[in-house]
């Protein structure tokens, strides 16, 4: 079971990431662009679930490159990764931290960072990893 502290450790392990706590929810950004954030359900979200039990909180939202990547991530059927109607047409997925595996979480956070980081920073990071 992953936690928000695991998310923080993974995110802050990437180059030039900052963490913010706004109104009691945490978020992570690179170059001023948020790529992952804690996403509590709104009353409207809960209402949309109807009789269905919503995925257990805490929930993490993570950016993806575009809607094509979002559909590919969702189609992969990774345990704990899902979306809700509020995110239709938005390049991000949701992650139920109680269900997702650590490798899938790390991959999603890294992909979110790659989607938002400046290209030169991505290239520097890639060159460090290939050494």
């Amino acid at each position: 079971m992953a936690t928000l502290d695991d998310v923080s450790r993974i995110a802050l392990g990437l180059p030039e990431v900052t963490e913010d706590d706004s109104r009691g929810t945490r978020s992570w950004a690179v170059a001023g662009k948020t790529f992952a954030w804690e996403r509590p359900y709104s009353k409207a979200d809960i209402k949309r679930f109807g009789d269905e039990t919503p995925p257990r909180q805490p929930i993490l939202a993570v950016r993806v490159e575009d809607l094509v990547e979002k559909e590919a991530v969702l189609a992969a059927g990774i345990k704990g990764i899902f979306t809700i109607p509020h995110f239709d047409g938005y390049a991000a997925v949701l992650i139920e931290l109680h269900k997702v595996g650590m490798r899938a979480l790390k991959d999603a956070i890294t992909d979110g960072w790659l989607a938002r980081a400046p290209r030169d920073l991505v290239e520097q990071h890639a060159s460090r990893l290939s050494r």
Side-chain angles (χ1 to χ4, degrees):
M1 172 178 82
T3 66
L4 287 169
D5 288 338
D6 293 324
V7 171
S8 183
R9 180 183 46 77
I10 294 165
L12 292 173
L14 295 165
E16 298 185 28
V17 171
T18 58
E19 181 174 343
D20 188 31
D21 188 329
S22 176
R23 294 183 230 137
T25 60
R26 295 160 79 177
S27 63
W28 296 267
V30 59
K33 295 181 179 182
T34 300
F35 65 91
W37 62 100
E38 185 179 0
R39 177 45 168 82
Y41 295 126
S42 68
K43 289 178 184 177
D45 293 333
I46 297 295
K47 186 175 181 179
R48 285 185 195 105
F49 280 108
D51 293 335
E52 184 181 329
T53 302
R56 187 172 163 196
Q57 295 193 63
I59 301 297
L60 182 72
V62 179
R63 291 293 302 255
V64 294
E65 185 67 35
D66 54 31
L67 294 176
V68 172
E69 182 179 349
K70 177 179 181 172
E71 291 306 315
V73 169
L74 294 170
I78 300 165
K79 186 177 178 179
I81 297 180
F82 68 103
T83 192
I84 57 176
H86 182 80
F87 277 64
D88 287 352
Y90 187 68
V93 295
L94 299 173
I95 301 174
E96 182 179 5
L97 293 180
H98 292 281
K99 282 192 177 177
V100 73
M102 290 302 290
R103 176 174 283 168
L105 178 63
K106 183 176 181 180
D107 289 349
I109 291 169
T110 302
D111 288 347
W113 180 87
L114 289 167
R116 302 296 281 170
R119 291 299 128 210
D120 60 329
L121 185 57
V122 170
E123 290 169 7
Q124 289 171 16
H125 180 61
S127 69
R128 273 184 265 157
L129 292 177
S130 65
R131 290 182 196 162

